Every structure is written in structure tokens, then in C-alpha cells.
Amino acid sequence: MNPPPQWLAALADAATTMTVPPPMRPPKDGGRESAVLVLFGEGARGPDLLLIQRGDGLRRHSGQPAFPGGRIEPSDASPEAAALREAEEETGLVPAGVDVVGRLPELYLSFSDFRVAPVLGWWREPSEVRPTDLGEVAAVARVPVADLAAPANRVMVRYGGGPGWGPGFRVEGMLVWGFTGAVIDGLLALGGWELPWHDEDLTDVFEATPHGLRPVG
């Protein structure tokens, strides 16, 4: 047996009070219900997170790194069940090897009108993962938390050319940003992994456009 570590139990407790930025607060009514699996495991370099990269050409979030997940179907007993089902369909993950340890506050994606339940999991018995839904997923990676926290891997993303900025991460050949970047940024702070970084250290700044990211400057 490989029970959830104490740090993850503490993170799950802290995550229930995670501050939700105003643009990501769900509306009172409406929105399509969905769930993602925020899955922590223990790798050779310490804690890691399971991420996928969406395939190019999708109608929504084309080419973006993300947590495994998708829409909650009527056959799903709960958001937790939906997150595990989607992760299995997208990566081949074996749900029996995952312990659900909590859930983050519900978040909202205005671009796609999704209400998202982020399900926090512990990979008690890691299984082989790979892109199994080739129409949806281009790549699968276990990303060390140490790489996500490293200031050298962090960038800033400006949305729509306006004043709004968000965090990004260059890891495993991917540029993680948007919803996924915001959740990871919050988890790094809650888990005590966040390291100091300064604007003058940033060599990469990107602007989000309808066609993806483009470098700024």
C-alpha cells in the first residue's frame, strides 16, 4: 500500500479555501458541468503532476496542455467518477490505482462555458500512461513539481492584449498556461513549493490570441 502522504492531505485541506480569481468564479446559473483530475504521484524527483497536451485542430483548447478531464455525463455518479473516467479514456490510466483525496473549489471557463470541478487525487499505484484517445490527446507527461516551481521555467501570459496577465510554465516541451496554469500556480503556493521570482528574470512573455500564444517583445 502507498497511502497519500501527509503533505497531500494538508494540501487537500488547504485547497478547500483556495481563492478563486473573479474571472474564474462560476455564474449563479448556467454553464456545462465538467471535471478534471489533478493527479499527484511520487516520481524519481519527488512529487509530480499528470498533464496532457490536447491535439491540434480541436474546436476548444486546441493544442493546450491540460489536466485530464472533460464533461460530466449522465452516467457518471459524481465529478470524481467523471474525472477518473476521462483520465482513463485519454491516458490509459488505471482508476483503481488512484485515491481521491479532495476537491478544489468549482471554477469557470467563460471561453467554453464550462463549470469545472478539479478533483484532487493521489496515484497510489502508478500505471503506464500514453495518449489513448488520439483524436483528443497529443502527449501525456508526468511533470515534476520541482520543474513547475523553478523560476527559470516560469513565464507570464497576457490575455487578449488587455491588462490581464496569468502564469505560465515551460515544462516537458509544453507551455502550460490559462486555466491549468492558474490552478498549478495556486497549488504551488498552497503546497509551500513556490519560489521567489521577479519580472526582471522573465525572458519570455506571451500574448494569448484566438489562434494560440505569440511571443511579446
Side-chain angles (χ1 to χ4, degrees):
M1 295 292 290
N2 184 17
Q6 184 58 43
W7 61 260
L8 184 54
L11 179 62
D13 287 341
T16 60
T17 60
M18 188 175 183
T19 300
V20 177
M24 299 178 73
R25 293 174 186 168
K28 184 177 180 180
D29 299 303
R32 293 175 292 181
E33 294 188 344
S34 65
V36 297
L37 182 63
V38 182
L39 182 60
F40 282 95
E42 185 71 25
R45 297 177 52 215
D48 56 31
L49 273 172
L50 179 66
L51 296 179
I52 65 171
Q53 183 155 17
R54 301 260 175 225
D56 292 330
L58 296 178
R59 191 158 60 94
R60 297 186 181 91
H61 310 296
S62 175
Q64 288 189 28
F67 299 112
R71 189 166 185 172
I72 298 175
E73 301 293 346
S75 57
D76 293 318
S78 63
E80 287 78 7
L84 289 169
R85 173 185 56 76
E86 286 281 347
E88 181 179 18
E89 292 175 359
E90 292 177 336
T91 73
L93 172 144
V94 177
V98 175
D99 291 335
V100 172
V101 297
R103 197 193 300 179
L104 278 62
E106 187 180 54
L107 303 170
Y108 182 62
L109 291 175
S110 58
F111 174 77
S112 52
D113 192 34
F114 274 115
R115 308 174 73 101
V116 184
V119 175
L120 196 59
W122 168 243
W123 215 347
R124 173 174 37 83
E125 296 180 5
S127 51
E128 179 186 356
V129 287
R130 64 195 186 285
T132 50
D133 184 347
L134 298 180
E136 293 272 348
V137 180
V140 177
R142 294 182 62 170
V143 181
V145 169
D147 288 349
L148 292 163
N153 294 335
R154 302 200 63 169
V155 300
M156 291 296 290
V157 177
R158 182 171 63 197
Y159 296 103
W165 293 84
F169 306 84
R170 280 189 174 279
V171 288
E172 299 290 331
M174 301 184 293
L175 179 53
V176 183
W177 60 288
F179 168 85
T180 307
V183 172
I184 290 174
D185 187 61
L187 290 172
L188 291 177
L190 287 175
W193 295 302
E194 191 174 39
L195 298 174
W197 61 303
H198 307 285
D199 289 347
E200 58 267 24
D201 296 330
L202 298 177
T203 57
D204 296 303
V205 179
F206 295 84
E207 181 176 354
T209 75
H211 306 290
L213 295 180
R214 67 175 183 85
V216 175

